Amino acid sequence: MDVRFAAALEAIVGRRHALTTPQEIRAYAYDGGVDRSLPLAVVLPGSTEEVAAVVRACRERDTRFVPRGAGTGLSGGAIAAGDAIVISTARLCRILEIDAPNRIALVEPGVVNADVSAAARPHGLRYVPDPSSMAACTIGGNIAENSGGLHCLAYGVTSAHVLGIRVVTPDGDIEWLGGKTIDTPGYDLAGVFIGSEGTLGIATQAVLALSPIPESVQTLLGVFDSTDAATAAVSAIIARGIVPGALEMMDALATAAVEADVGAGLPTDAAALLLIDIEGLSDGLEQTVDTVASICRENGAREVRVAKDGAQRDLLWKGRKSAFGAMGRISPDYYVQDGVIPRSQLPAMLRDVAAASAKYGLRIANVFHAGDGNLHPLILFDKQKDGEFDRALAAGADILQACVARGGSISGEHGIGLEKRDCMPLQFTPEDLSFMDRLKSAFNPDDRCNPGKIFPTGRRCGESARTAKSGALDDRTAALAGEPF
C-alpha cells in the first residue's frame, strides 16, 4: 500500500486503528461465505466524522472501499474484491439512546443485534429482527442485507424496524435518511438504502423501532415422518389464519447435526421437524396452541410437543440457531444457499433440492424459515477432495434456478454480494439490472463504495467465476453474467 496514503489514514484514525501488515489484515479476507480476498488495508474509525474523513481520503486517491460489520455475512458482501480498503464499523458500537416512551433506540452500526433487545428488555421492549447469528452480527450488516430472522414471519424484516439512518455518502458527505418518526416526507431514501449491501454509502447511526415483548409465548415441536407432510402443515397453519411468531423447519440431516451439537432432545429418526412459536396475549393463547397442534396432527405429525417452560423453549431454539455451526459435526465444509419461494411450493422445492443432491453426489441439509418460504439448503462438501467445491457451487446454482422457476427469488436475506452476482440474470432482465444500476449510480457514480457487488461485472472473480464456469447456468444467463452493467 502507498506509504503516504497509509500515513493519511493513520492521521485520521490513529496508528492503532489503521491495519496494513499482512498479519493485521489476514482475518479481514473472510466473511461467513466462501469467497476470499485480502484488502489493501483496514481502518477502524471511531466516529461518523472519522468515517467521512476516511471516505474523502479514498476519493482523493481514487481508492475503493468496502464497509464491514462483524463479517458474518454469507454472500461475500464484506469481501474487498480487487484493490480496496476495508472500513470496519467495529468501534462504532454504542447504544446511544433507548427512548422507551417513543419505542425507539438510537444505535451505532457496530452494535451486536442481540444487545439491542438486551438493553430494551428492562423497558418491556425488544428489537424484533433476529438472524440466527444475532449473538454476533451487527446492526450495520443487518441494514446492508435487510436481514430477516426467525421471528420475521409475523413482524417483517429489518426494513420494517428501521426509521432513520445517518450515512456517510460515497463522496464523504454526512446525511440523515429518514428520522425518528415514521413516514418522513419525500422519497423513502432509508428504504432504498436498506438492503443495498453497502453500495450506497456507510451507515454510522440508526434509529430502530422497538416492539413490546409479548405477554405470553408457547413453543411447539411438530414431529413428521415426511417432509411433504411437514410442509403441508406449514401451509395449513397459515391458511387457517394463524401467523405464528416463528415457523421453522429442519430435515433429518440437519436434526442429526443439531442434536449431536446441542443435545436438545430432538427425535433424530424424524424426517422433518417444525418449530413453532405462538405468542401474544395470554387470553386465548392456549386455544391457538391447541389449534396449531391439531393442524399438525391432521397433516401427519406423529407427535406434537409443547415446551414445558422457558428453559425447554430456549433449548429448542438454541438447537435451531446452532444449525449452521452444527454442520461442522458432519462435514468438513458446507456452502449455505439462500432462496425464497411461495410457501405452497415448499414440497416441490424440497424435491428439487433432493434432486440437486443426487445429481452432484453431495449431501444437502435443510434448515429454514418455512413460514415465509425462505430456504437455507446447506450443501456439504470437502474442499480437500478434487471437484467437490465446484460441484457444491453447481448444486447451489441449480437450486437458485429452481427457486426462480417456482416463482421465487435467488435471495431471501443473505444478499447477492459476490456470490450470486452472476446469477442475477436468472431473475432480472438486462433492463431491470440497468434500471437498478442507474439508481446505484445516483449515490455511487464511480462505483467506489463496495465495488463489484450485486451486479454482473464482466470481471468475474472468485466464486462468481467458478459458478459461471461450472456450466450450471443456462447459456442465456451465463452470457448475461459476463456482461458489465
Side-chain angles (χ1 to χ4, degrees):
M1 184 181 189
D2 177 76
V3 174
R4 295 176 63 183
F5 186 30
L9 296 176
E10 290 178 12
I12 296 168
V13 300
R15 171 63 189 98
R16 180 183 176 189
H17 305 300
L19 313 179
T20 56
T21 70
Q23 294 78 15
E24 290 174 326
I25 65 176
R26 183 176 301 155
Y28 296 87
Y30 302 80
D31 68 359
V34 293
D35 287 284
R36 305 285 183 265
S37 182
L38 274 176
L40 291 175
V42 178
V43 292
L44 298 94
S47 67
T48 297
E49 289 71 24
E50 287 188 4
V51 173
V54 170
V55 168
R56 287 194 293 270
C58 290
R59 184 188 62 187
E60 290 166 3
R61 290 162 178 80
D62 194 24
T63 298
R64 299 182 291 181
F65 55 90
V66 175
R68 183 183 176 95
T72 57
L74 292 163
S75 61
I79 299 298
D83 293 335
I85 72 166
V86 163
I87 300 177
S88 168
T89 59
R91 291 177 63 211
L92 300 171
C93 56
R94 293 169 295 180
I95 296 176
L96 302 172
E97 180 184 9
I98 298 290
D99 180 351
N102 289 305
R103 294 182 180 175
I104 59 174
L106 177 63
V107 307
E108 293 183 320
V111 171
V112 172
N113 175 297
D115 289 349
V116 179
S117 286
R121 191 171 300 122
H123 306 282
L125 300 170
R126 64 174 176 169
Y127 178 61
V128 170
D130 56 347
S132 296
S133 58
M134 63 186 293
C137 67
T138 52
I139 295 298
N142 294 171
I143 290 172
E145 304 297 344
N146 195 16
S147 297
L150 307 181
H151 288 82
C152 289
L153 170 62
Y155 304 100
V157 295
T158 295
S159 59
H161 303 274
V162 176
L163 300 178
I165 314 166
R166 193 184 193 195
V167 306
V168 173
T169 72
D171 285 332
D173 297 329
I174 300 171
E175 305 284 354
W176 267 100
L177 310 179
K180 289 189 173 182
T181 58
I182 61 172
D183 197 21
T184 52
Y187 293 114
D188 180 14
L189 296 181
V192 171
F193 191 90
I194 297 167
S196 63
E197 304 191 26
T199 62
L200 304 186
I202 303 176
T204 59
Q205 291 181 8
V207 180
L208 309 180
L210 304 175
S211 302
I213 296 172
E215 183 177 291
S216 184
V217 181
Q218 294 264 22
T219 299
L220 296 85
L221 179 71
V223 183
F224 295 82
D225 289 327
S226 79
T227 55
D228 278 5
T231 52
V234 170
S235 293
I237 291 168
I238 304 295
R240 196 71 68 87
I242 299 170
V243 181
L247 178 46
E248 301 285 303
M249 180 171 162
M250 293 193 294
D251 69 5
L253 188 55
T255 301
V258 165
E259 189 57 19
D261 189 48
V262 175
L266 303 175
T268 55
D269 61 339
L273 303 179
L274 292 184
L275 195 55
I276 309 164
D277 258 6
I278 304 297
E279 57 187 32
L281 298 174
S282 297
D283 288 346
L285 197 77
E286 288 291 344
Q287 182 179 354
T288 304
V289 169
D290 290 344
T291 300
V292 170
S294 295
I295 294 171
C296 288
R297 294 189 184 96
E298 290 165 6
N299 284 275
R302 76 179 193 210
E303 180 185 4
V304 178
R305 302 177 189 173
V306 180
K308 296 177 181 176
D309 51 35
Q312 197 172 73
R313 175 176 179 270
D314 289 346
L315 185 59
L316 290 173
W317 282 113
K318 181 181 178 182
R320 165 61 186 90
K321 293 177 181 179
S322 303
F324 286 14
M327 292 302 119
R329 292 268 183 177
I330 59 175
S331 177
D333 303 286
Y334 67 92
Y335 170 40
V336 183
Q337 262 301 351
D338 168 45
V340 181
I341 54 167
R343 196 165 36 242
S344 60
Q345 294 292 317
L346 278 173
M349 188 65 218
L350 288 181
R351 287 193 284 275
D352 291 335
V353 173
S357 173
K359 177 179 177 181
Y360 295 102
L362 298 172
R363 294 179 298 165
I364 302 179
N366 290 287
V367 51
F368 57 97
H369 310 308
D372 50 17
N374 187 183
L375 300 169
H376 293 319
L378 300 159
I379 305 168
L380 310 184
F381 68 98
D382 183 347
K383 65 184 177 185
Q384 300 302 322
K385 295 183 178 178
D386 287 344
E388 282 213 357
F389 184 34
D390 288 338
R391 298 210 310 274
L393 297 177
D398 274 15
I399 291 169
L400 293 183
Q401 290 194 79
C403 286
V404 174
R406 296 197 178 282
S409 169
I410 63 173
S411 179
E413 57 182 347
H414 296 173
I416 300 300
L418 289 173
E419 177 192 315
K420 296 180 182 175
R421 66 185 188 191
D422 285 342
C423 295
M424 286 287 273
L426 283 173
Q427 186 171 348
F428 299 105
T429 67
E431 291 77 17
D432 295 334
L433 292 169
S434 178
F435 185 80
M436 285 189 272
D437 187 61
R438 292 202 300 275
L439 174 61
K440 183 188 75 171
S441 295
F443 287 77
N444 182 20
D446 300 320
D447 199 25
R448 192 178 297 117
C449 183
N450 210 8
K453 310 296 165 58
I454 302 177
F455 299 94
T457 63
R459 301 188 303 273
R460 298 172 191 165
C461 62
E463 185 180 347
S464 284
R466 290 190 291 271
T467 300
K469 290 178 180 176
S470 70
L473 301 180
D474 59 58
D475 291 343
R476 171 186 166 278
T477 302
L480 290 172
E483 295 295 328
F485 285 87

